[in-house]
Each structure stands twice: as C-alpha cells, then as structure tokens.
Amino acid sequence: MRLCFLVEEQYRHDGMPLDVIRQLGAWGHQVDVLWPGRSLISLSDAIQAGSHDAWVLKTVSGGPGLTLLEAAASAGLTTVNDVRAIRGVRDKALAAVIARGTGLPVPVTYAAARPEELAEIPEAEFPLVVKPADGSSGRAVRLVATPDRLLEPVTPDDCAGGLLIAQPYVPNSGTDLKVYSVAGELYATERCSPLHPAHDVRERQVPLTAEVARIAARIGEVFGLDLYGVDILLGPDGPVVVDINDFPSFRQVPDAVARVSAAVLELARRGTSGRDAAPAAGRVAGRATGQPKAGAATTRSVTPLPRPARPTAPLGGGR
C-alpha cells in the first residue's frame, strides 16, 4: 500500500508516529511523509493525484495538518481517523457538548473568550479546571481555586487567544486513567495528572474494568474514531471523561508500534466508504459494546493482519 503521513513539527522526533512509519516501511509499504508548517507542499501533486491509499494525521490542535487532511478527504481520499471525527474532538467545547448530549459522563462545561468572564460561574462550582478549547498535550491546563484567582498571571500559552472552557474540578487521587483504542482494542493505563505534578505515579498498564470499557467504546461510537485516547478520572460518583484525543501516544500499550501499524493498514484497506455497519469500536469481542470483558483488552472481531517480528525501536511520544 501507499500511505501519506502528515506529521507536524512538535512530533518530528517522537516515536509515535515515526516508529509506525518505519514499521510500515519494513513491512514493504510505501510511506510518504509531509511536514506541514516547515515545508512547501504541492497540493496538486500530493492530493489531487490521489495516489495514496490513505492519509494519516499526527498534529497539534489548530495546526495546518488538519486542513490538509480535510483537503484530502474532500478529494475522496481515505483518512485515518475519519476527518469528520477528528474535527469533533479537536474542539474541546464541541466535544463536551456532543459527549454530554449522548449521555457520556462529562462535567458541566462553560465557555468564554476571556478568563474574567468565567467569574460569572457560581462560586459553588469552584475549583474549576480551565483550558483552551483547542489545546493539546496538557498545554495551559490550570486549576483555579476561587473566582478571584481567575486573573492571576498566566503563561504566554494561556494568552494565545481563542475560546476557553471551564469545568468543575472532579476530586480524584491525582492519577489519570488513560484508555487507548487501537481499532477496537482497548487498553487502560495510569499516569500522573497534570494538575498534580508532585503526585508520584508510576506510568503503567492497568486492568480495564467493564464500566470504563463501556465508556471508552461508546466514545468511539459517538465520535466515529478508530485510533484514539480517552482521559478518565475516577471521581467520587464514578468515572468521568475529561478529554478525548485522536491518534495519541499509545504509551504503555504492549507492542504499540506493531498494533497501531496493523490498525492503520486495516483502516486504509477498509476505506472510509467501507466502514462497518456498526461504527468503529462498536463491536467488542463479538459482544455488544455494553458488555465488554473487564480486566483485559477488548477486541473488535476483524480478520487479523499478518505481522512480522516485533519492532525493536522504542516507543516515544508526548501525551
């Protein structure tokens, strides 16, 4: 197959997706890499020729890569993930409305253009977690204890403009649960919360409970994603979804490079027009998504792809 990866500057040295690109090449596939933001791209040659089986995006929110991916989709080319799904989660305000509207456990969400406007939120809702609606990799996420602290000095990233969102803080242990989906296979991992950097947490894979698996699988259904990550907090009232990311780092997923590479090939072969009648992650090991097997990865029933020896390159990448 011939694939095109759009990789932005932030991920130029990251194992994800560079190790995937190398793995696909080792399997005999042709992979072209475009670098939005630091190179001239001939749209006529790259997109209108239609010579790639699929386009894959690894980019920051608001970066130029998404526009290029949308251009490829407009020409009828397959994209991984589906470009319509990516737009739905890149805007965190939009994602919160969609998720909460479908019954997913998402905190009440407020939006404002300036921090001082958030002072109108009832004081009983504080502390608040405030972050840019187009943020990524934990950028400019901060915990605001009281309304009078909304105007405290902030970093340049916080002043970059654009919409802000605020959600009531969910009391938790200081540990984030990150659930990754690789074309229907779900993996749960733990890591330190960016709001509690002093909390000592060993990043590791952990058992996947039935409740969390149902939530993660439902997100795949609602947003139409195939490769994604979900940040979940285990609050006093149960799991709460606080973020959704397309094509994340897949850190701590066993054999992540081989699994993600195989998933990219599967999705490219299937093509956007050939999506299953049930959405991605809509079937889990032959069961309805409401009944995934707890404590282990759940697998959508697909024909397995042949895989060579496991890659030896280490998996890297940011959050």
Side-chain angles (χ1 to χ4, degrees):
M1 302 190 79
R2 186 177 180 187
L3 305 166
C4 182
F5 274 69
L6 291 162
V7 183
E8 289 194 358
E9 184 70 15
Q10 179 171 321
Y11 303 105
R12 187 159 59 97
H13 302 294
D14 281 3
M16 186 64 66
L18 298 187
D19 288 343
V20 169
I21 292 169
R22 284 190 286 266
Q23 180 65 82
L24 290 168
W27 286 350
H29 301 280
Q30 181 177 337
V31 183
D32 298 319
V33 183
L34 298 180
W35 307 93
R38 70 180 184 98
S39 61
L40 175 66
I41 297 174
S42 172
L43 296 180
S44 298
D45 293 341
I47 295 175
Q48 293 177 358
S51 55
H52 295 95
D53 295 289
W55 286 57
V56 186
L57 177 67
K58 179 64 174 177
T59 181
V60 295
S61 292
L66 183 54
T67 296
L68 296 175
L69 195 75
E70 289 176 329
S74 72
L77 305 180
T78 295
T79 64
V80 179
N81 290 282
D82 187 314
V83 72
R84 295 163 296 182
I86 295 174
R87 183 66 75 178
V89 296
R90 285 298 176 87
D91 185 328
K92 297 183 187 302
L94 175 60
V97 171
I98 293 172
R100 192 171 172 87
T102 55
L104 285 163
V106 175
V108 172
T109 304
Y110 300 90
R114 298 176 299 175
E116 56 265 33
E117 293 166 352
L118 298 174
E120 297 180 24
I121 298 173
E123 190 167 358
E125 299 274 30
F126 284 76
L128 295 176
V129 177
V130 179
K131 55 188 172 183
D134 65 348
S136 59
S137 302
R139 176 179 64 86
V141 178
R142 61 190 182 114
L143 184 62
V144 181
T146 56
D148 60 292
R149 302 187 67 176
L150 284 166
L151 296 181
E152 287 185 347
V154 294
T155 67
D157 277 343
D158 291 309
C159 301
L163 197 66
L164 296 170
I165 66 169
Q167 298 172 326
Y169 172 76
V170 178
N172 64 90
S173 66
T175 299
D176 281 0
L177 187 65
K178 182 82 169 188
V179 181
Y180 295 109
S181 175
V182 185
E185 298 179 353
L186 300 176
Y187 302 89
T189 67
E190 282 184 344
R191 68 178 180 191
C192 180
S193 167
L195 298 177
H196 301 283
H199 188 65
D200 186 19
V201 177
R202 181 172 66 89
E203 196 167 321
R204 58 182 182 141
Q205 186 180 4
V206 295
L208 180 66
T209 67
E211 184 179 17
V212 169
R214 282 194 294 270
I215 292 170
R218 179 62 177 153
I219 286 171
E221 291 181 350
V222 167
F223 289 93
L225 292 165
D226 295 291
L227 299 172
Y228 63 96
V230 185
D231 289 1
I232 294 177
L233 296 178
L234 301 180
D237 298 320
V240 179
V241 176
V242 293
D243 203 7
I244 306 169
N245 300 285
D246 64 280
F247 210 117
S249 65
F250 299 103
R251 284 156 53 178
Q252 302 303 319
V253 171
D255 302 322
V257 172
R259 293 180 188 277
V260 173
S261 300
V264 168
L265 291 178
E266 175 200 340
L267 297 168
R269 287 170 176 152
R270 175 148 52 93
T272 302
S273 62
R275 292 176 69 89
D276 295 338
R283 302 174 192 163
V284 181
R287 301 176 176 84
T289 50
Q291 299 175 323
K293 182 178 179 182
T298 53
T299 308
R300 181 160 50 89
S301 298
V302 296
T303 303
L305 297 171
R307 297 176 182 171
R310 296 176 182 175
T312 56
L315 175 64
R319 181 184 174 199

